[in-house]
Amino acid sequence: MKLRRLALVLLTLTLVVASFGTAAAQDRKIATVIFTQELDSLNPMYTTMSFAAITRDFYLYGAWHFDEELNPVPVLVTEIPSMDNGGISADGKTITLKLRDDIKWSDGEPITSADFVFTYEMVTSAANTPLSRYPYTPDVIASVEAPDPTTVVINFVEPFAPWLTRIFRWVLPEHVLRPVFESEGTLDNAAWNRAPTVSSGPFVFQEWETGSHILFVRNENFFGEKAKLDGVFVRFVPDDAAQTAALMAGDGDIAYFLAPSDVVQVEATGKVKVQWVPSGYNEGWFFNMGPDGHPALKDVNVRHALAMAVPRERINEDLLLGYFYIPASYWEGSPYQSPNIAPDPYDPAAAAAMLDEAGWVDSNGDGTRDKDGVELVLRYLTPPRQVRMDTQVVVQQAFAEIGVGLILDNPSYDIFWNSYGSGGPIATGQYDIGQWSSSPDGYPDPDSETFLCSEIPSPEKPEGNNWNYYCNEELDALFLQQSRTTDYDARVAIWHQITEILARDLPWMGMWTDPDNYPVSTRMQNVAVNGVTPFWNAYAWDIAG
Amino acid sequence: MGRYIIRRLLQAIPQLLIISVILFVLMQASGDPVATLGGRTPPRSEDKERLRREWGLDQPIMVQYVYWLVGNDWVMVDSDGDGVSDRYGQRRGVLRGDFGNSLVTRQPAMDVVVERIPNTLTLMITAEVLIIVFSLFIGVYSALRQYSVMDNVLTAVSFITFSMPIFWIALGLMYIFAVRFKAWGLPHLPTVGMYDPIEGKTLSQVVWHLILPAMSIALIDIARYSRYIRSNMLEVINSDYIRTARAKGLRERAVLFVHAFKNAALPLVTIIGMDLPFLLAGAVVTERIFAWPGMGRLFLDHLTRTDFPVLMALLMLISVAVVVFQLLTDLVYTWLDPRIRYA
């Protein structure tokens, strides 16, 4: 009797609690996007996060965005500037943007050239502390002018080739933020940064529950095609396994970045399809050629020999389930990569012969090659991600077969990326082989400073980004030349030379391409992501049924 | 008693200062907030140098600590990096209530922390109530029926749940009650979050989303608490004064709950007292897995960005809570056990 009563109580409780989750009718069409990291700011001045950049397509438009094929599509401008349409001056130093005359903020105020000038002023103002001022710094841009409400003139110090991916990717509302700047003396603490009151995109910010979610609703005043969805709800789920579970349970419509093994799992439900898009990221090895690196790595033939001893095809097939391939350069998959280069083939016998020829032989019979009393034992560092650690073990075994020793190390991310001043092992060159995934800064433009001699870290330049201490003055000259070449074909030709030199010198060796992936629920329609502005067509998203 | 409380509070001041120094040094060693700035358009080296200067990270660690503690509005700082001090600093320091601004969100650090307290308390108090209620029931029941079948079953279950890692329990519950139940067409629980924003932050929504995270936390600690209660109860019910109480002819219920239980509960007060301040700290793993926007999650999120101001504000808040709750525990102890006096 008692048991029956207890069962009845439990059943009632279950039904009551279950009704909580299903009581309210969900008439509105709202898509749920899951991110594993919470955004830091909705003002692009104060964030460099990928997740924040992705979210921007909902509420803050720039002069143009990129379509599925990464072609620039005019948004706030009438056309993409070119020499043919007069948007780029003959000397390449002036770019003129012609704005549409029907563009407006969500409160009905027109978007004008004054907003562009204001954006430039805010990024460069000493009263603000944006995370990045590039490329609006005085060494790149001399001035930004607004001769009339629909014309923006950008005067560069020198021709600036990467302008398409660097300038005015977002524009701030002057009529809202100038009063804030004038009253507070800075935008650093503006409430707008976390609760933007106006939008130039298809959705408008509605609420941000810290640690939980951000909700955007349709911008009824949007100057473009009105969004089909009533809203987008960005939920923060920091745990990868929980993200996968949420997708499998149908608690999310779109997510960003799953591990290959999770891709298999979510696609097996039949309710999720994963879209893969190149985003410029490539996983690779950085050989330390600096004073604290192993002396063998200063020999280019040794670097190539090591590359030929890594079973990269097998790693891609077995550890990464065949989703990726071996990149030939830092700019794999872009037109800037020379068609004449290819990754070194896997050939351990040839690798051993090359090491013999370079003088690295096992003279003391301990199983490891040596030269002049120095053993060929390399410190192989990578952050503690499982697939990287598995890769280390595979490579360690492969290298042992040709007499090369490896010391494996997996410093935590914060230690790994610690700065030069704080003694970070990568920044200070306390490694021989470093593995991580990196993106050519400014993708799909190849603009990058990674291999510049001037970026080698030192006490005078502690923030330098050239962590493999590679220096080639011929290459430096080509990097400078390409950055000032606004003619596309001429620039591509320079880049082919650059990628050929890097393939020859091999300071960096590709392990696998690292495209972005976006799991998308099968109930979502018209989602067509790309690797630069993935939610560029969020206005067209719809939910079936 | 008043003098005792004042003395304990005065003792807490140097204690907290020492804690703050240790935490500050540990936080500095945990990473570099500038180095963690990544993304698709990471700051260039010139920007990193500027940020390091603007955030005061270019100063020696002891100078940074002094500025954190007492502010820097009394010293001239170099704001533009030209090597010349050109204006007074703008920070007032912790002693004047300024924990600085978050390096991530730019909001006042203490505001970032305080915003999460209600969410964490919702989860942790619910879990703590579940833990106390269930563990009392199980512990007392097991003690009164020592070595019975039920006692052995409860003991076995306790050891199993106590041995399981929290992430395993949390993901297991999520997979069964959210993912599989939904796939089977049964009433199911939500996977993540504190409420469904489409439905709104209603009581029913929060309760609905609370079930899995609260149960995950409770399952482990019910096992721990119930074992304490069982052993204390066993010790007390076999003592002389309980036998005397029974000999006096008191009813069994009065013997157990008036005489035995109050004494058996004393060690429990210590455990609960020790746990209470950590209710504020939240549950790092559980909050992360269930995307519960509490303090544990805040700590992890800001640790990965090495956001010193927020981490220090959070840890100092917990340190103060530990000191206060230790004092409260001692006071409750003297109330429960008249043999203990203020020394």
Side-chain angles (χ1 to χ4, degrees), chain A residues 24 249 251 414 419 463 516, chain B residues 30 32 40 52 182 191 199:
Chain A
D251 289 346
D414 48 349
S419 63
E463 302 296 349
D516 285 348
Chain B
S30 70
D32 181 342
R40 287 160 195 273
R52 202 173 288 287
K182 188 171 185 184
T191 46
E199 307 284 346

Side-chain angles (χ1 to χ4, degrees), chain A residues 128-199:
Chain A
N128 297 324
T129 55
L131 294 185
S132 174
R133 290 204 167 113
Y134 183 80
Y136 299 101
T137 43
D139 58 322
V140 179
I141 292 180
S143 64
V144 176
E145 295 159 10
D148 65 61
T150 57
T151 306
V152 181
V153 179
I154 305 146
N155 299 303
F156 292 93
V157 177
E158 296 287 346
F160 183 66
W163 60 271
L164 192 62
T165 60
R166 291 295 192 180
I167 58 166
F168 294 120
R169 296 284 299 276
W170 41 271
V171 178
L172 298 173
E174 186 200 21
H175 69 289
V176 174
L177 289 176
R178 188 176 288 284
V180 176
F181 181 70
E182 285 173 355
S183 65
E184 295 183 12
T186 177
L187 285 187
D188 287 1
N189 311 313
W192 195 90
N193 298 344
R194 291 177 65 80
T197 48
V198 294
S199 157

Side-chain angles (χ1 to χ4, degrees), chain A residues 302-319:
Chain A
V302 171
R303 297 197 295 273
H304 278 286
L306 295 177
M308 292 167 75
V310 181
R312 287 180 281 176
E313 292 281 3
R314 205 169 76 213
I315 288 169
N316 274 299
E317 279 302 316
D318 295 348
L319 298 183

Side-chain angles (χ1 to χ4, degrees), chain A residues 25 91 376 538:
Chain A
D91 65 0
L376 188 49

